Amino acid sequence: MEDLVHFINYRSYALHNLHHIMQAERFSAEEKFEMEVVGNVLPFKTNNYVINELIDWDNVPNDPIFRLTFPHKDMLLPPHFDEMANALKKNLSKTELKAVANKIRMQLNPHSDGQMANNVPMLDGTKLTGIQHKYDQTVLFFPSQGQTCHAYCSFCFRWPQFVGMDEMKFAMKEGELLVDYVRKNKNVTDVLFTGGDPLIMKTKILAGYIDKLLDANIENLQTIRLGTKALGYWPYRFTMDDDADDLLILFEKVVAKGINLSIMAHFNHPVELSTNAVEVAIRRIRNTGAQIRTQSPVLRHINDSPDIWAEMWRRQVNLNCIPYYMFVTRDTGAQHYFAVPLVESWEIFRKAYQQVSGICRTVRGPSMSANPGKVQILGVSEITDEVVTKKIITLRFLQGRNKDWVAQPFFAEYNPDALWLDDLKPAFGNKFFFEEEFERKYNRSITDTDSINLQ
Ligand SMILES: *Cc1c(COP(=O)(O)O)cnc(C)c1O
Ligand code: SF4
């Protein structure tokens, strides 16, 4: 690691030790109180890399990474903010505060345990609680030791996990069960490790899972994916952490086995691709033969402009990463703060897409991970039948609960305010082509949320 001089230890910050951050001196007492109010409802955690290398403190509070990781007053609706503010002023006990927080959280569409249970497969009568399987080819695996992150994104839809509302319950011997499940389901080609962030795990623990998959010689297994924000929040995971070298050796081993290893890297803003540490980390990962694919939602206050996206994709490609998905922010937590309407998201996508060469256009989106599947907004058009002109939105499934739905265009009435699939009405007829089957087979409506989607 000739280009890195200092050894840096991971230091995590949350409300209780916020005053240890040198830069926190600049906050007024009122600002600190506002952070405390929001941070008591939504999870807050950041670290020394984010604070010292990513945030431009001269640009705070509008700095995108500050917005991404620090709590802000507007992330709670005024009545919720006031409720928690009053509770804090009353000096309630920890238990009482938690009760107030949970009451507010319940109103933020946290996805109940019942919903968590959907898509959890069975194997020989055992419920595989660390596995979720929605689309034919890809199984999601939630290793129990990977249920946190190096910092938290304030828009994250996994927030109920982090505040302990959705206790993820895991089976014993989950690694063996994963192997059995993939072996018995021949249509599964991909195993996607997710969390939290699976790279929060020590290499030894991760290797335990991956070695089991490799040693099992499963014929249908083609790709192992690691969904992670470590390149954005803690690139030292691949460079200077004491088990970084072992991690890269593990990557090499997967590749040598003839299995595609894809790091599904989450980047929200080009600044995350600007440090020496992330450059070195990416180069080291690429040297193992692993690929890096990138994804992010469109977020108000953070990346809601075409230029930011164009710059981000170009920078990713220059660093030999492959742009993969642009997502729509989900309907949970601080959605009112981060949400960008579907039509505007598509405009951002289109204007960014126009600025970059075909090499960057591997990206697909904007896509919403709705209950029936991943739905891409293809665009807005005007259609005329001589008498009337009508504006419509064309959509299609990138992934569907039923694979027959994939790549079939469908049409919704133009609605510039729509934030999600359930805000859209069919442009023709009174149901979307998949709706009846969806309701019948899955016994729910398209307005139900589904907590297991990836962003
Ligand atoms: C996005 C997603 C996947 C992976 O889909 P790809 O299009 O293959 O990247 C798998 N499972 C769920 C539940 C998802 O949301
Ligand atoms: S979006 Fe990913 S990295 Fe960010 S808090 Fe959620 S799980 Fe963690």
Side-chain angles (χ1 to χ4, degrees):
M1 294 318 328
E2 63 289 350
D3 27 7
L4 292 169
V5 246
H6 308 290
F7 189 89
I8 297 176
N9 279 318
Y10 174 76
R11 253 193 210 125
S12 125
Y13 296 98
L15 281 182
H16 67 92
N17 61 352
L18 194 59
H19 55 280
H20 292 171
I21 307 175
M22 206 177 53
Q23 292 90 336
E25 280 172 21
R26 68 182 63 220
F27 301 127
S28 66
E30 192 187 345
E31 283 167 328
K32 282 184 195 154
F33 179 67
E34 288 171 359
M35 284 187 202
E36 196 188 339
V37 172
V38 177
N40 263 283
V41 179
L42 298 169
F44 165 51
K45 174 181 176 185
T46 187
N47 69 55
N48 45 329
Y49 172 77
V50 174
I51 288 170
N52 296 326
E53 305 255 348
L54 297 186
I55 295 176
D56 172 3
W57 287 89
D58 292 332
N59 191 21
V60 165
N62 292 323
D63 178 84
I65 306 298
F66 180 76
R67 285 284 183 246
L68 180 64
T69 53
F70 278 76
H72 180 267
K73 183 172 199 275
D74 296 344
M75 289 175 191
L76 288 181
L77 294 169
H80 293 154
F81 184 90
D82 293 343
E83 196 175 347
M84 184 44 90
N86 290 335
L88 284 169
K89 281 178 195 153
K90 275 191 238 154
N91 274 325
L92 300 183
S93 71
K94 265 200 166 143
T95 327
E96 288 167 316
L97 275 180
K98 195 162 178 211
V100 176
N102 279 340
K103 185 173 152 245
I104 299 171
R105 288 166 182 160
M106 286 312 288
Q107 296 166 57
L108 303 177
N109 194 16
H111 314 301
S112 71
D113 271 339
Q115 283 164 320
M116 286 301 290
N118 288 313
N119 311 303
V120 174
M122 302 282 288
L123 183 75
D124 306 333
T126 309
K127 209 166 179 198
L128 304 179
T129 41
I131 297 179
Q132 294 181 337
H133 191 189
K134 180 171 177 181
Y135 307 128
D136 280 4
Q137 295 86 358
T138 306
V139 154
L140 303 186
F141 179 53
F142 296 75
S144 50
Q145 304 92 333
Q147 298 309 309
T148 180
C149 308
H150 293 96
Y152 289 147
C153 311
S154 29
F155 67 84
C156 181
F157 67 100
R158 297 244 160 96
W159 64 272
Q161 253 158 268
F162 305 141
V163 297
M165 286 187 89
D166 282 349
E167 298 287 353
M168 303 283 283
K169 297 187 188 75
F170 295 91
M172 297 292 291
K173 295 201 282 178
E174 49 188 7
E176 280 89 10
L177 288 171
L178 175 70
V179 166
D180 281 354
Y181 186 78
V182 176
R183 202 202 320 262
K184 286 185 182 151
N185 288 272
K186 302 272 181 247
N187 52 350
V188 173
T189 55
D190 292 33
V191 172
L192 199 167
F193 285 73
T194 182
D197 190 328
L199 290 184
I200 200 89
M201 287 189 281
K202 286 284 171 202
T203 303
K204 238 198 292 180
I205 312 265
L206 178 67
Y209 293 116
I210 290 190
D211 284 340
K212 274 198 189 77
L213 280 169
L214 298 185
D215 295 345
N217 293 311
I218 307 169
E219 241 173 72
N220 45 302
L221 179 65
Q222 294 180 12
T223 293
I224 294 176
R225 306 196 215 179
L226 302 173
T228 181
K229 176 99 184 153
L231 280 167
Y233 281 162
W234 191 252
Y236 307 121
R237 182 69 190 87
F238 309 94
T239 61
M240 294 186 299
D241 277 4
D242 49 14
D243 58 350
D245 289 351
D246 295 337
L247 182 67
L248 297 171
I249 291 168
L250 177 67
F251 287 4
E252 281 171 0
K253 192 167 157 191
V254 176
V255 174
K257 184 91 186 181
I259 290 196
N260 171 258
L261 177 63
S262 197
I263 308 301
M264 311 304 288
H266 173 192
F267 291 112
N268 305 110
H269 192 277
V271 74
E272 292 170 271
L273 296 145
S274 70
T275 66
N276 181 247
V278 75
E279 268 185 46
V280 176
I282 289 174
R283 200 181 318 137
R284 295 194 90 200
I285 294 172
R286 296 287 295 119
N287 283 343
T288 68
Q291 289 170 327
I292 304 173
R293 289 184 172 77
T294 61
Q295 51 196 26
S296 166
V298 192
L299 301 157
R300 187 74 76 211
H301 307 293
I302 293 179
N303 61 24
D304 54 342
S305 101
D307 292 352
I308 291 179
W309 280 88
E311 185 187 342
M312 190 153 69
W313 293 333
R314 260 189 238 112
R315 181 95 191 123
Q316 287 166 358
V317 162
N318 294 348
L319 294 171
N320 283 302
C321 303
I322 308 167
Y324 191 61
Y325 271 134
M326 175 204 256
F327 291 117
V328 175
T329 325
R330 294 168 53 100
D331 45 353
T332 177
Q335 194 213 22
H336 62 276
Y337 184 77
F338 290 110
V340 177
L342 303 177
V343 169
E344 188 184 339
S345 301
W346 164 72
E347 276 161 356
I348 292 169
F349 178 86
R350 176 173 162 254
K351 288 180 190 151
Y353 199 76
Q354 289 169 359
Q355 294 181 39
V356 296
S357 90
I359 297 295
C360 301
R361 291 186 189 168
T362 48
V363 65
R364 289 163 306 153
S367 165
M368 61 188 134
S369 293
N371 204 326
K374 280 189 166 66
V375 177
Q376 181 185 17
I377 299 100
L378 282 172
V380 174
S381 16
E382 279 188 358
I383 48 167
T384 310
D385 72 351
E386 278 148 40
V387 200
V388 262
T389 301
K390 188 178 162 105
K391 252 184 166 177
I392 58 164
I393 303 174
T394 302
L395 307 119
R396 70 162 175 177
F397 281 100
L398 294 170
Q399 286 288 4
R401 280 182 182 276
N402 179 343
K403 66 180 181 324
D404 291 341
W405 300 344
V406 174
Q408 272 200 58
F410 61 101
F411 310 97
E413 273 177 18
Y414 178 71
N415 175 356
D417 303 321
L419 296 174
W420 203 248
L421 186 61
D422 54 1
D423 298 325
L424 295 175
K425 292 203 170 66
F428 314 104
N430 49 24
K431 290 213 171 192
F432 292 120
F433 79 92
F434 55 89
E435 236 180 303
E436 212 162 70
E437 181 185 343
F438 177 69
E439 286 166 2
R440 181 165 31 85
K441 268 203 192 150
Y442 304 101
N443 196 22
R444 41 232 272 248
S445 112
I446 62 164
T447 58
D448 291 346
T449 47
D450 184 352
S451 63
I452 76 130
N453 283 299
L454 301 176
Q455 260 297 349

PDB file of all heavy atoms in Angstrom, residues 149 151-153 155-156 158 162 196 229 233 266, ligand 2:
ATOM      1  N   CYS A 149     -24.084  -1.109   9.455  1.00  0.00           N
ATOM      2  CA  CYS A 149     -23.316  -0.500   8.362  1.00  0.00           C
ATOM      3  C   CYS A 149     -22.220   0.378   8.979  1.00  0.00           C
ATOM      4  O   CYS A 149     -22.266   0.689  10.163  1.00  0.00           O
ATOM      5  CB  CYS A 149     -24.209   0.366   7.491  1.00  0.00           C
ATOM      6  SG  CYS A 149     -25.681  -0.494   6.904  1.00  0.00           S
ATOM      7  N   ALA A 151     -21.774   3.431   8.410  1.00  0.00           N
ATOM      8  CA  ALA A 151     -22.492   4.670   8.752  1.00  0.00           C
ATOM      9  C   ALA A 151     -23.909   4.425   8.246  1.00  0.00           C
ATOM     10  O   ALA A 151     -24.125   3.497   7.460  1.00  0.00           O
ATOM     11  CB  ALA A 151     -21.865   5.874   8.061  1.00  0.00           C
ATOM     12  N   TYR A 152     -24.871   5.218   8.686  1.00  0.00           N
ATOM     13  CA  TYR A 152     -26.235   5.023   8.206  1.00  0.00           C
ATOM     14  C   TYR A 152     -26.644   6.138   7.257  1.00  0.00           C
ATOM     15  O   TYR A 152     -26.355   7.309   7.490  1.00  0.00           O
ATOM     16  CB  TYR A 152     -27.236   5.001   9.369  1.00  0.00           C
ATOM     17  CG  TYR A 152     -27.164   3.770  10.230  1.00  0.00           C
ATOM     18  CD1 TYR A 152     -27.426   3.846  11.595  1.00  0.00           C
ATOM     19  CD2 TYR A 152     -26.848   2.530   9.685  1.00  0.00           C
ATOM     20  CE1 TYR A 152     -27.366   2.723  12.405  1.00  0.00           C
ATOM     21  CE2 TYR A 152     -26.784   1.393  10.481  1.00  0.00           C
ATOM     22  CZ  TYR A 152     -27.042   1.490  11.839  1.00  0.00           C
ATOM     23  OH  TYR A 152     -26.989   0.380  12.634  1.00  0.00           O
ATOM     24  N   CYS A 153     -27.352   5.755   6.195  1.00  0.00           N
ATOM     25  CA  CYS A 153     -27.913   6.724   5.261  1.00  0.00           C
ATOM     26  C   CYS A 153     -29.263   7.150   5.815  1.00  0.00           C
ATOM     27  O   CYS A 153     -30.083   6.294   6.165  1.00  0.00           O
ATOM     28  CB  CYS A 153     -28.133   6.088   3.902  1.00  0.00           C
ATOM     29  SG  CYS A 153     -26.692   5.185   3.300  1.00  0.00           S
ATOM     30  N   PHE A 155     -31.839   8.156   4.456  1.00  0.00           N
ATOM     31  CA  PHE A 155     -33.018   7.783   3.676  1.00  0.00           C
ATOM     32  C   PHE A 155     -33.307   6.288   3.747  1.00  0.00           C
ATOM     33  O   PHE A 155     -34.280   5.805   3.195  1.00  0.00           O
ATOM     34  CB  PHE A 155     -32.831   8.154   2.194  1.00  0.00           C
ATOM     35  CG  PHE A 155     -31.749   7.351   1.526  1.00  0.00           C
ATOM     36  CD1 PHE A 155     -32.033   6.096   1.014  1.00  0.00           C
ATOM     37  CD2 PHE A 155     -30.464   7.833   1.445  1.00  0.00           C
ATOM     38  CE1 PHE A 155     -31.031   5.333   0.430  1.00  0.00           C
ATOM     39  CE2 PHE A 155     -29.460   7.087   0.865  1.00  0.00           C
ATOM     40  CZ  PHE A 155     -29.748   5.826   0.356  1.00  0.00           C
ATOM     41  N   CYS A 156     -32.463   5.521   4.443  1.00  0.00           N
ATOM     42  CA  CYS A 156     -32.477   4.060   4.297  1.00  0.00           C
ATOM     43  C   CYS A 156     -33.809   3.436   4.683  1.00  0.00           C
ATOM     44  O   CYS A 156     -34.386   3.755   5.715  1.00  0.00           O
ATOM     45  CB  CYS A 156     -31.384   3.432   5.141  1.00  0.00           C
ATOM     46  SG  CYS A 156     -31.335   1.637   4.964  1.00  0.00           S
ATOM     47  N   ARG A 158     -34.057   0.356   5.437  1.00  0.00           N
ATOM     48  CA  ARG A 158     -33.786  -0.724   6.389  1.00  0.00           C
ATOM     49  C   ARG A 158     -33.759  -0.197   7.828  1.00  0.00           C
ATOM     50  O   ARG A 158     -33.366  -0.903   8.750  1.00  0.00           O
ATOM     51  CB  ARG A 158     -32.444  -1.382   6.059  1.00  0.00           C
ATOM     52  CG  ARG A 158     -32.439  -2.043   4.694  1.00  0.00           C
ATOM     53  CD  ARG A 158     -32.249  -3.552   4.823  1.00  0.00           C
ATOM     54  NE  ARG A 158     -32.694  -4.243   3.627  1.00  0.00           N
ATOM     55  CZ  ARG A 158     -31.906  -4.616   2.637  1.00  0.00           C
ATOM     56  NH1 ARG A 158     -30.619  -4.366   2.706  1.00  0.00           N
ATOM     57  NH2 ARG A 158     -32.390  -5.246   1.601  1.00  0.00           N
ATOM     58  N   PHE A 162     -32.308  -1.264  12.115  1.00  0.00           N
ATOM     59  CA  PHE A 162     -31.240  -0.633  12.899  1.00  0.00           C
ATOM     60  C   PHE A 162     -31.732  -0.106  14.242  1.00  0.00           C
ATOM     61  O   PHE A 162     -30.951   0.043  15.174  1.00  0.00           O
ATOM     62  CB  PHE A 162     -30.595   0.511  12.097  1.00  0.00           C
ATOM     63  CG  PHE A 162     -30.080   0.089  10.751  1.00  0.00           C
ATOM     64  CD1 PHE A 162     -30.211   0.923   9.645  1.00  0.00           C
ATOM     65  CD2 PHE A 162     -29.481  -1.149  10.575  1.00  0.00           C
ATOM     66  CE1 PHE A 162     -29.743   0.525   8.403  1.00  0.00           C
ATOM     67  CE2 PHE A 162     -29.008  -1.560   9.339  1.00  0.00           C
ATOM     68  CZ  PHE A 162     -29.139  -0.710   8.240  1.00  0.00           C
ATOM     69  N   GLY A 196     -28.393  -4.520   6.219  1.00  0.00           N
ATOM     70  CA  GLY A 196     -27.122  -3.945   6.589  1.00  0.00           C
ATOM     71  C   GLY A 196     -26.082  -3.985   5.456  1.00  0.00           C
ATOM     72  O   GLY A 196     -26.401  -3.854   4.308  1.00  0.00           O
ATOM     73  N   LYS A 229     -21.882  -0.697   1.022  1.00  0.00           N
ATOM     74  CA  LYS A 229     -21.593   0.729   0.947  1.00  0.00           C
ATOM     75  C   LYS A 229     -20.193   1.004   1.501  1.00  0.00           C
ATOM     76  O   LYS A 229     -19.813   2.154   1.744  1.00  0.00           O
ATOM     77  CB  LYS A 229     -22.680   1.488   1.744  1.00  0.00           C
ATOM     78  CG  LYS A 229     -22.536   2.963   1.873  1.00  0.00           C
ATOM     79  CD  LYS A 229     -23.381   3.745   0.888  1.00  0.00           C
ATOM     80  CE  LYS A 229     -23.099   5.242   1.027  1.00  0.00           C
ATOM     81  NZ  LYS A 229     -23.317   6.017  -0.165  1.00  0.00           N
ATOM     82  N   TYR A 233     -18.383   4.473   2.462  1.00  0.00           N
ATOM     83  CA  TYR A 233     -18.309   4.878   3.866  1.00  0.00           C
ATOM     84  C   TYR A 233     -17.040   4.430   4.591  1.00  0.00           C
ATOM     85  O   TYR A 233     -16.712   4.985   5.644  1.00  0.00           O
ATOM     86  CB  TYR A 233     -19.523   4.321   4.635  1.00  0.00           C
ATOM     87  CG  TYR A 233     -20.811   5.095   4.444  1.00  0.00           C
ATOM     88  CD1 TYR A 233     -22.039   4.512   4.765  1.00  0.00           C
ATOM     89  CD2 TYR A 233     -20.826   6.410   3.969  1.00  0.00           C
ATOM     90  CE1 TYR A 233     -23.229   5.200   4.614  1.00  0.00           C
ATOM     91  CE2 TYR A 233     -22.015   7.100   3.817  1.00  0.00           C
ATOM     92  CZ  TYR A 233     -23.216   6.500   4.135  1.00  0.00           C
ATOM     93  OH  TYR A 233     -24.403   7.177   4.002  1.00  0.00           O
ATOM     94  N   HIS A 266     -22.727   0.847  -3.450  1.00  0.00           N
ATOM     95  CA  HIS A 266     -23.733   1.879  -3.301  1.00  0.00           C
ATOM     96  C   HIS A 266     -23.012   3.226  -3.177  1.00  0.00           C
ATOM     97  O   HIS A 266     -22.277   3.449  -2.222  1.00  0.00           O
ATOM     98  CB  HIS A 266     -24.533   1.499  -2.047  1.00  0.00           C
ATOM     99  CG  HIS A 266     -25.529   2.503  -1.607  1.00  0.00           C
ATOM    100  ND1 HIS A 266     -26.153   2.430  -0.396  1.00  0.00           N
ATOM    101  CD2 HIS A 266     -26.011   3.588  -2.207  1.00  0.00           C
ATOM    102  CE1 HIS A 266     -26.977   3.444  -0.268  1.00  0.00           C
ATOM    103  NE2 HIS A 266     -26.901   4.165  -1.358  1.00  0.00           N
TER     104      HIS A 266
HETATM  105  S1  SF4 B   2     -28.718   2.248   2.422  1.00  0.00           S
HETATM  106 FE1  SF4 B   2     -27.317   0.528   2.767  1.00  0.00          FE
HETATM  107  S2  SF4 B   2     -25.464   1.461   3.671  1.00  0.00           S
HETATM  108 FE2  SF4 B   2     -27.102   2.952   3.844  1.00  0.00          FE
HETATM  109  S3  SF4 B   2     -27.904   2.589   5.885  1.00  0.00           S
HETATM  110 FE3  SF4 B   2     -29.160   1.419   4.451  1.00  0.00          FE
HETATM  111  S4  SF4 B   2     -28.282  -0.651   4.410  1.00  0.00           S
HETATM  112 FE4  SF4 B   2     -26.763   0.749   5.348  1.00  0.00          FE
END
